[in-house]
Amino acid sequence: MIRFVARGSCQKTTQHFAEHVGQQIRQAIADRSVDARLLGPAAAPIAKLRGRHRFHLLVSAADGPLLRELVDAATGSLKPPD
């Protein structure tokens, strides 16, 4: 299982980035036909911490090395917003 946490001072920007990451991972799962599950993005259990909004995603699969490879391919070229 891999958990992503997006943090930022602007709630909308942080949420949009978390959604973009989720779309990239969903696309990678579909392209590779991997038996993986993506949950989220959703507000983190502590949605705001130290003045920063937080959203998280959970990706799980039975094959750990394949999951890491999939996530790396999906997120390797992502650049977070300012």
Side-chain angles (χ1 to χ4, degrees), residues 6-45:
R7 299 181 306 240
S9 57
C10 177
Q11 181 180 3
K12 282 188 177 185
T13 303
T14 306
Q15 184 175 5
H16 287 299
F17 181 69
E19 289 169 357
H20 180 67
V21 170
Q23 290 170 354
Q24 294 292 97
I25 294 171
R26 276 189 190 90
Q27 187 64 46
I29 291 170
D31 289 348
R32 290 180 167 83
S33 299
V34 175
D35 185 21
R37 184 173 178 192
L38 173 66
L39 299 174

Side-chain angles (χ1 to χ4, degrees), residues 1 3 8 11 13 15 17 25-26 28 32 36-37 40 45 50-51 57 60 63 66 69 76 78 82:
M1 182 177 288
R3 179 177 181 232
Q11 181 180 3
T13 303
Q15 184 175 5
F17 181 69
I25 294 171
R26 276 189 190 90
R32 290 180 167 83
R37 184 173 178 192
R50 296 185 190 109
L57 300 102
S60 63
D63 186 348
L66 181 62
E69 180 183 314
L78 287 178
D82 295 336

Side-chain angles (χ1 to χ4, degrees), residues 37-66:
R37 184 173 178 192
L38 173 66
L39 299 174
I46 300 174
K48 191 170 183 182
L49 183 65
R50 296 185 190 109
R52 295 185 160 268
H53 300 275
R54 302 171 35 163
F55 291 87
H56 69 157
L57 300 102
L58 293 172
V59 187
S60 63
D63 186 348
L66 181 62

